[in-house]
Amino acid sequence: MSRRGTVRSRRSSRGWEDVAAERHDQPGHRPGWRRFHRAALAKLPLPLRGLRFRLVVAFVLVTMAGALSTGAVTFREARTGVLQQSQDAVIRQFRAGVNDQAPTIPLPPDQSDLDAAVSQVLSSNQSQGWRVLATYGSLRASAPSTDFDKLTPELRRSVATKRAAVFQRVNDGGRPWLVVGMPVTYDDGGKQFGFSGLVMYLVVPQDTEQAYVKAMVSAIEHATLVALALAVVLALVAASGVLRPVRALRGATRRMAEGHLDVRLAVNGSDELADLSQSFNHTAAALERSVAELRRMEAQARRFVADVSHELRTPLAAMSAVTDVLDENALRLDRETGEALRLISEGTSRLSVLVNDLMEISRFDAGAAELNVDEIDLADFAQHTLAARGWQGRVETRLPAPGALRARVDPRRLDVVLANLVGNALRHGEPPVRLGMSMREEPAGAAWAVIEVSDNGPGIAEEAMPHIFERFYKASSSRTRSESSGLGLAITAENVRLHGGRVAAANLPWGGAVFTVELPLHRDSAAAATGEHTVGGGAGAGGSAR
């Protein structure tokens, strides 16, 4: 019976690859990433949360995701192709070498037969760093003589049980190896097939394949960096195009807030930003028309008030003259007639004050109010204001020494300011009413004359505080029919602003309200308020209004 040795193999595309390493390459899930991302964004400075930064980050993230996913797929396919091609070529050459030697190996072989077979297989592939091992029972022959510790028990069992060529890729000390196990089978004219017991093993390093894989990784890294740089450039270009109309819209809204209602945006294209610009233009046009109409109506109302006040002055002057004459004869009239005369006289006086106040307000609105300044002694002027109205015994004063505090002001308008504040405190507060003056210097060198009027009344309601200097505003509904017109504090504020000063109202911690008026002082007229004298016994507090 003639016997001819043959080799039967089963190809596999994967063999025993390291599954643990493959799992390690897969990206893992990070729990709580969204929460961490939001917290990190909240801590970023405002410029880093802007639209430009977000667009650049979005472009970079999308590009990075695309580059990494493409690179991963490309690397996987290329790596599989390189290893598949390499292992197929090695297995094909090893099978050919074993097939060439199988017919010459007697069964059962001895040690010399195994050594000869190994030497013949190895001699035909000396340049590839092969290591060949032949086993038959307890006999072993290898060339070169080295330890074949890379033959795993799994590979040996697979060769013994499956009777087919198998392979395995192993990593030893960071160096990849391909291990092939190939059993030698025999047939008898096609009638009988069996395992000869002879197994040939091949161990070959895959340094070249590893170099190819490293080269691919390096190429993918460089391509990713180039893609990221290109993404940043494209993101900046796209952000500039997107943010240009946004910046224009921001500038237009700021100009509109400054009062330039005629501002409009250039509409380019037909995208969402163009629609936004068009909507802004429509809104701005409607707002401009509404404001123009309101201004026209306001101007008409002011002109009407000025005209009515002017027309009322002549008949009021005549009525005042008549009531003055009648007041002189009031004592000779009967009681009912005298009471009626008194009511007419008080009403005429209040109407005259209201008309004068309206005329003053109309001059402020028309921009016709002017200052006729003169340098005066503020303390002496305050005494004259109180004396002219008979308030000296009702107001406690804390004033600088004569000549210590001088300022360039309009005496008539300052008299109105003092009279309105003190009169308001006397009418609506409780004694003692205090009037104080002092000078305050700022670190920058500016000097201010500070006038304070306070009382011990109930103070100003918190809801009334923002409106205290508005026209016709009365903090209490019980005052709607009082002699106050509701214009005194408004006129006071206008006169202070006309001087370039400031006026404020507040409540004192211990009760009562306080007005504070600050008037700018020129350096040549500012003097240290060292000497003070007190009239009426009280210390002055800050001024207030109700």
Side-chain angles (χ1 to χ4, degrees):
M1 179 182 297
S2 63
R3 291 179 295 183
R4 184 172 182 272
T6 61
V7 177
R8 182 167 175 254
S9 65
R10 185 179 69 178
R11 296 179 59 186
S12 172
S13 61
R14 292 179 61 85
W16 282 273
E17 295 189 46
D18 193 343
V19 178
E22 189 173 89
R23 288 180 180 176
H24 179 72
D25 294 337
Q26 294 178 356
H29 175 66
R30 301 181 183 180
W33 168 251
R34 289 181 180 271
R35 187 165 55 252
F36 171 77
H37 182 260
R38 291 173 182 171
L41 283 180
K43 295 180 180 179
L44 286 176
L46 186 59
L48 297 184
R49 287 182 281 168
L51 186 57
R52 179 188 298 274
F53 179 77
R54 290 158 61 187
L55 285 175
V56 173
V57 170
F59 266 79
V60 170
L61 290 179
V62 170
T63 304
M64 184 181 295
L68 291 179
S69 59
T70 303
V73 173
T74 303
F75 170 75
R76 185 181 182 88
E77 295 298 326
R79 177 174 176 270
T80 302
V82 169
L83 296 178
Q84 183 72 50
Q85 183 179 3
S86 173
Q87 72 188 24
D88 288 349
V90 170
I91 294 174
R92 187 167 51 250
Q93 292 179 15
F94 185 49
R95 183 187 297 111
V98 173
N99 283 337
D100 290 341
Q101 296 300 319
T104 64
I105 302 175
L107 292 177
D110 55 18
Q111 185 66 42
S112 61
D113 295 333
L114 293 181
D115 292 338
V118 169
S119 298
Q120 290 297 326
V121 173
L122 188 62
S123 63
S124 60
N125 297 278
Q126 290 181 352
S127 62
Q128 301 185 24
W130 283 17
R131 300 179 183 183
V132 181
L133 172 67
T135 63
Y136 185 85
S138 60
L139 298 177
R140 290 170 58 90
S142 63
S145 299
T146 184
D147 186 14
F148 282 81
D149 57 347
K150 301 173 182 61
L151 299 179
T152 62
E154 293 83 359
L155 181 66
R156 294 176 184 272
R157 285 194 298 268
S158 180
V159 172
T161 56
K162 297 183 179 180
R163 309 291 174 87
V166 295
F167 70 92
Q168 182 180 17
R169 288 194 293 269
V170 298
N171 192 295
D172 185 19
R175 187 179 184 187
W177 296 83
L178 176 64
V179 182
V180 182
M182 188 171 295
V184 177
T185 60
Y186 65 90
D187 59 34
D188 187 6
K191 298 180 181 179
Q192 188 177 4
F193 173 80
F195 179 53
S196 66
L198 176 63
V199 180
M200 303 289 289
Y201 293 99
L202 170 66
V203 179
V204 58
Q206 291 190 303
D207 298 333
T208 303
E209 289 77 5
Q210 186 181 28
Y212 288 156
V213 172
K214 290 183 177 180
M216 285 188 296
V217 172
S218 179
I220 291 174
E221 290 177 351
H222 286 86
T224 302
L225 292 177
V226 173
L228 290 179
L230 183 60
V232 171
V233 174
L234 293 177
L236 292 176
V237 173
S240 299
V242 173
L243 294 180
R244 188 178 298 111
V246 176
R247 287 194 298 267
L249 179 61
R250 180 182 60 185
T253 53
R254 287 179 177 176
R255 285 181 53 82
M256 180 176 291
E258 294 171 356
H260 303 281
L261 300 180
D262 57 342
V263 63
R264 298 292 185 274
L265 291 175
V267 181
N268 299 317
S270 57
D271 54 4
E272 290 81 359
L273 292 175
D275 292 340
L276 179 61
S277 300
Q278 189 69 38
S279 299
F280 174 84
N281 290 341
H282 291 329
T283 304
L287 181 60
E288 185 179 18
R289 289 192 297 269
S290 299
V291 172
E293 180 66 17
L294 290 175
R295 287 175 177 172
R296 185 186 65 80
M297 296 173 63
E298 184 181 7
Q300 288 181 347
R302 290 176 177 175
R303 187 165 52 251
F304 172 78
V305 171
D307 292 344
V308 170
S309 301
H310 181 74
E311 293 298 327
L312 287 176
R313 294 187 72 180
T314 301
L316 274 176
M319 292 172 61
S320 297
V322 173
T323 54
D324 289 341
V325 173
L326 293 177
D327 286 339
E328 294 178 358
N329 300 320
L331 296 177
R332 292 179 294 201
L333 299 177
D334 59 84
R335 181 166 171 248
E336 292 182 358
T337 304
E339 183 66 22
L341 178 60
R342 185 184 63 81
L343 293 176
I344 293 174
S345 178
E346 290 178 356
T348 303
S349 177
R350 283 161 46 188
L351 184 59
S352 178
V353 171
L354 175 60
V355 170
N356 289 333
D357 288 346
L358 290 175
M359 290 294 295
E360 186 73 3
I361 286 291
S362 65
R363 281 191 289 269
F364 283 120
D365 292 339
E370 297 180 353
L371 288 177
N372 297 313
V373 298
D374 190 11
E375 184 171 341
I376 62 173
D377 182 354
L378 295 182
D380 183 65
F381 184 82
Q383 294 285 12
H384 282 84
T385 298
L386 297 178
R389 291 164 176 79
W391 291 342
Q392 283 182 311
R394 303 173 60 188
V395 178
E396 297 179 0
T397 59
R398 188 177 182 86
L399 305 173
L405 185 57
R406 302 182 64 85
R408 292 182 58 82
V409 296
D410 187 328
R412 184 184 70 84
R413 296 189 182 278
L414 181 59
D415 180 75
V416 172
V417 170
L418 293 176
N420 283 342
L421 295 183
V422 175
N424 184 75
L426 290 173
R427 284 192 303 270
H428 307 294
E430 295 179 4
V433 174
R434 295 172 289 268
L435 170 63
M437 287 186 180
S438 61
M439 188 184 73
R440 180 174 60 84
E441 293 192 60
E442 295 181 347
W448 298 83
V450 181
I451 303 173
E452 297 176 340
V453 178
S454 66
D455 62 72
N456 279 4
I460 306 170
E462 291 298 328
E463 63 272 11
M465 191 68 73
H467 313 285
I468 201 67
F469 293 105
E470 293 180 2
R471 300 174 184 180
F472 299 105
Y473 181 79
K474 296 183 180 182
S476 174
S477 59
S478 62
R479 294 175 50 197
T480 55
R481 305 186 65 86
S482 67
E483 63 179 12
S484 175
S485 64
L487 293 174
L489 294 182
I491 294 174
T492 298
E494 294 290 348
N495 280 318
V496 172
R497 295 190 189 101
L498 196 61
H499 282 85
R502 300 181 291 237
V503 60
N507 287 320
L508 295 172
W510 53 85
V514 57
F515 278 124
T516 302
V517 174
E518 295 181 342
L519 300 175
L521 295 176
H522 297 285
R523 297 304 302 173
D524 55 353
S525 61
T530 54
E532 295 183 348
H533 65 279
T534 301
V535 176
S544 77
R546 282 156 303 286

